[in-house]
Amino acid sequence: MKKNAVLFFFKSLLKSILVIVSILAVGGISYKVSYEYLSKQLEAGKLDVQEKELESILDQAKTDEISKNLIYVVNDKQKITHMMLEICNTKTNNMDYITIPVNVDYTIPPKMYQKLCVVDEEIPQIVRLSSLRKYFSDLKDDEAYGYAELIMEKLLKTDVSYFTVITDDIYKLHYQEQKMTTNYTKVSNNVQASPSADGASSQKYTASVTMKTSVLSDSFANQLKDLGGDETKIMSFIKEQYKQDGIQSNLTVYNKIGYAPAYEKMDVELYHYWGIPGSFSGKKFTVDTASARKFIKKLENNTEAYTQPQSEDKSVPVKKQISSKGKKIVILNGSKISGLAATKQKMLSDAGISVAKVGDYTKEVLTRTKIIVKKKGMGTDLLEYFKDPELVVGETQNNCDIEIILGTVDAN
């Protein structure tokens, strides 16, 4: 009996060993077959490997006829304090600067987020633009800002040619802030609108955004003027700028010098400055992605050279504006859409602008919102909260300083 038990034990052990060996053999063969297959696919360029794809993205700095340079301004705590998109058009010799507020929260698309998690598994899907460098804190600057550029391309729906990083100190020497209003074509979804080329329903109308916009400082503008359109001086100037501590770029100095002929023909007085399409809610800014894409594309496709300084209807100096804070404001609902006045009252309240009273406008149904002010210069800072409002100086009702009559367009 004891002998049979021992024999049974060894037979069972032998079977177990054979099974384990078989499993290992099959696994080894499968691994080899898979490895060979995937290697051939990779060599043929047919395999979508996340790491390989991401690495290739960081090697795209290039010179274009219309270059888009993403400028990051960074402080000593790796926080991005300002951001601009510089568009240099070598066909028209136009130079445009678009200011992008950094207090923007952006949700990274799922597919991109999966790929970025390979780089840093702790990166959140909802990112704040001011913290883009911090999310990749373990990476070298060129890689970190390269991935940040990738995120910005998705947000703005445009390709970026290269990026440049400057410190806060250099920014303060080269730029200054001016509150400006930018008009743009608003693109929004609307089921009642006619279908667009891509099959989606859309409606287009004029809108505006007011923000502190980065413009060249007077001292830096004069420094550029002193170059006098001399290509040799311009080339030397570019080299000196890139040698400075606190300035870095993924575009080589050699390639940057390739733009010297265009810089030679550019007039600093004709540089144009804009704010990115979008809207504020308190201190938080939301980029209007569809409208931003159209706005950037319009600047790229502009075939006319700037011959006059930027006009006043595109830029409103802050000194000509009168703050709406502390003014008596009344909102009347001229849209017949229930609750719209209360919604807009809360929106302005969140932005620190008090509304004394809301009510109904009974004369007619308005499509476009009208802002009536008692004095010229009032109401300019309210334009960004409504869609292409009409701003007029006139007699207000209810003994108020500013009367806002809401139109149906602001219900969308």
Side-chain angles (χ1 to χ4, degrees):
M1 184 70 177
K2 186 176 181 180
K3 185 182 294 186
N4 290 337
V6 173
L7 184 60
F8 176 77
F9 170 76
F10 279 110
K11 284 183 177 180
S12 299
L13 180 61
L14 182 60
K15 288 180 180 179
S16 298
I17 293 172
L18 290 173
V19 170
I20 293 171
V21 171
S22 299
I23 292 173
L24 291 174
V26 170
I29 294 171
S30 298
Y31 170 80
K32 188 172 182 179
V33 171
S34 299
Y35 179 83
E36 291 293 332
Y37 172 75
L38 294 176
S39 295
K40 290 179 180 178
Q41 292 288 93
L42 183 60
E43 289 175 2
K46 298 178 180 179
L47 187 62
D48 180 17
V49 180
Q50 294 174 350
E51 294 89 343
K52 183 176 183 292
E53 181 179 345
L54 285 170
E55 287 172 3
S56 65
I57 287 172
L58 302 184
D59 190 26
Q60 291 185 350
K62 55 189 179 296
T63 52
D64 295 319
E65 287 186 325
I66 302 175
S67 75
K68 285 173 282 186
N69 174 23
L70 184 62
I71 302 174
Y72 303 100
V73 181
V74 185
N75 64 18
D76 55 4
K77 296 181 180 179
Q78 292 191 323
K79 181 179 180 180
I80 298 173
T81 57
H82 301 83
M83 195 181 295
M84 296 168 280
L85 185 66
E86 175 195 75
I87 302 178
C88 172
N89 190 328
T90 62
K91 297 179 180 179
T92 60
N93 299 314
N94 291 340
M95 182 73 87
D96 293 279
Y97 285 89
I98 304 174
T99 294
I100 305 165
V102 297
N103 54 340
V104 172
D105 289 336
Y106 175 59
T107 302
I108 302 173
K111 288 184 179 179
M112 175 186 281
Y113 181 64
Q114 291 172 6
K115 295 174 182 179
L116 290 175
C117 282
V118 175
V119 179
D120 190 331
E121 60 184 13
E122 295 185 2
I123 185 173
Q125 188 165 5
I126 300 176
V127 296
R128 174 64 63 96
L129 298 193
S130 60
S131 299
L132 283 178
R133 176 63 183 91
K134 293 182 179 181
Y135 296 136
F136 303 103
S137 58
D138 293 336
L139 299 181
K140 295 179 180 178
D141 280 345
D142 58 342
E143 294 179 332
Y145 290 115
Y147 289 125
E149 176 189 318
L150 178 63
I151 293 172
M152 292 303 299
E153 285 183 332
K154 283 290 184 181
L155 170 60
L156 302 177
K157 294 189 180 299
T158 190
D159 292 331
V160 174
S161 306
Y162 59 97
F163 67 78
T164 301
V165 184
I166 64 176
T167 64
D168 256 340
D169 290 338
I170 293 175
Y171 173 82
K172 291 172 183 176
L173 290 173
H174 289 186
Y175 300 91
Q176 59 190 20
E177 292 185 337
Q178 180 177 331
K179 199 167 186 179
M180 302 172 69
T181 297
T182 298
N183 297 318
Y184 61 92
T185 300
K186 170 76 176 176
V187 180
S188 66
N189 292 329
N190 189 324
V191 294
Q192 296 180 339
S194 56
S196 60
D198 59 4
S201 295
S202 64
Q203 182 181 15
K204 300 177 182 178
Y205 49 88
T206 301
S208 63
V209 60
T210 302
M211 67 172 67
K212 289 182 179 179
T213 306
S214 296
V215 304
L216 291 190
S217 66
D218 293 338
S219 60
F220 190 54
N222 289 332
Q223 190 177 356
L224 295 178
K225 290 178 185 177
D226 289 342
L227 298 177
D230 187 316
E231 186 172 337
T232 301
K233 289 183 179 180
I234 291 172
M235 291 170 64
S236 298
F237 176 77
I238 292 172
K239 291 178 182 178
E240 290 301 317
Q241 289 293 307
Y242 271 57
K243 285 181 181 178
Q244 288 187 80
D245 290 335
I247 293 184
Q248 56 181 305
S249 176
N250 65 338
L251 188 72
T252 65
V253 176
Y254 175 81
N255 283 333
K256 183 70 174 177
I257 287 175
Y259 291 113
Y263 295 149
E264 179 185 355
K265 300 172 185 176
M266 288 181 181
D267 184 346
V268 176
E269 295 290 340
L270 301 182
Y271 285 11
H272 277 46
Y273 306 95
W274 317 91
I276 196 72
S279 59
F280 285 95
S281 177
K283 293 183 178 180
K284 183 179 176 183
F285 187 81
T286 301
V287 175
D288 182 341
T289 303
S291 301
R293 179 182 184 180
K294 183 177 182 67
F295 183 74
I296 294 170
K297 184 62 67 175
K298 182 179 179 180
L299 293 179
E300 290 182 65
N301 293 339
N302 181 19
T303 58
E304 297 182 4
Y306 296 141
T307 57
Q308 298 293 328
Q310 196 166 16
S311 60
E312 283 296 314
D313 65 328
K314 296 174 184 174
S315 59
V316 183
V318 65
K319 63 183 179 181
K320 294 185 180 182
Q321 298 183 7
I322 299 174
S323 175
S324 296
K325 294 182 179 179
K327 303 300 180 185
K328 185 177 180 181
I329 301 174
V330 171
I331 296 180
L332 300 179
N333 190 348
S335 70
K336 303 298 182 183
I337 298 172
S338 179
L340 184 59
T343 298
K344 296 302 180 183
Q345 180 186 32
K346 184 179 185 306
M347 177 188 68
L348 291 180
S349 178
D350 290 343
I353 302 172
S354 299
V355 176
K357 179 182 177 182
V358 297
D360 291 323
Y361 182 75
T362 57
K363 292 184 180 180
E364 59 182 317
V365 177
L366 296 186
T367 300
R368 185 183 181 192
T369 294
K370 178 182 286 189
I371 302 176
I372 305 172
V373 297
K374 293 177 69 173
K375 183 178 179 181
K376 185 177 181 180
M378 286 184 177
T380 305
D381 57 349
L382 297 176
L383 295 175
E384 62 185 279
Y385 299 103
F386 304 95
K387 299 174 180 176
D388 188 27
E390 179 185 4
L391 178 63
V392 297
V393 179
E395 185 178 347
T396 61
Q397 305 298 318
N398 302 293
N399 192 31
C400 62
D401 299 306
I402 302 173
E403 185 176 55
I404 303 171
I405 307 175
L406 298 173
T408 56
V409 71
D410 274 297
N412 298 324

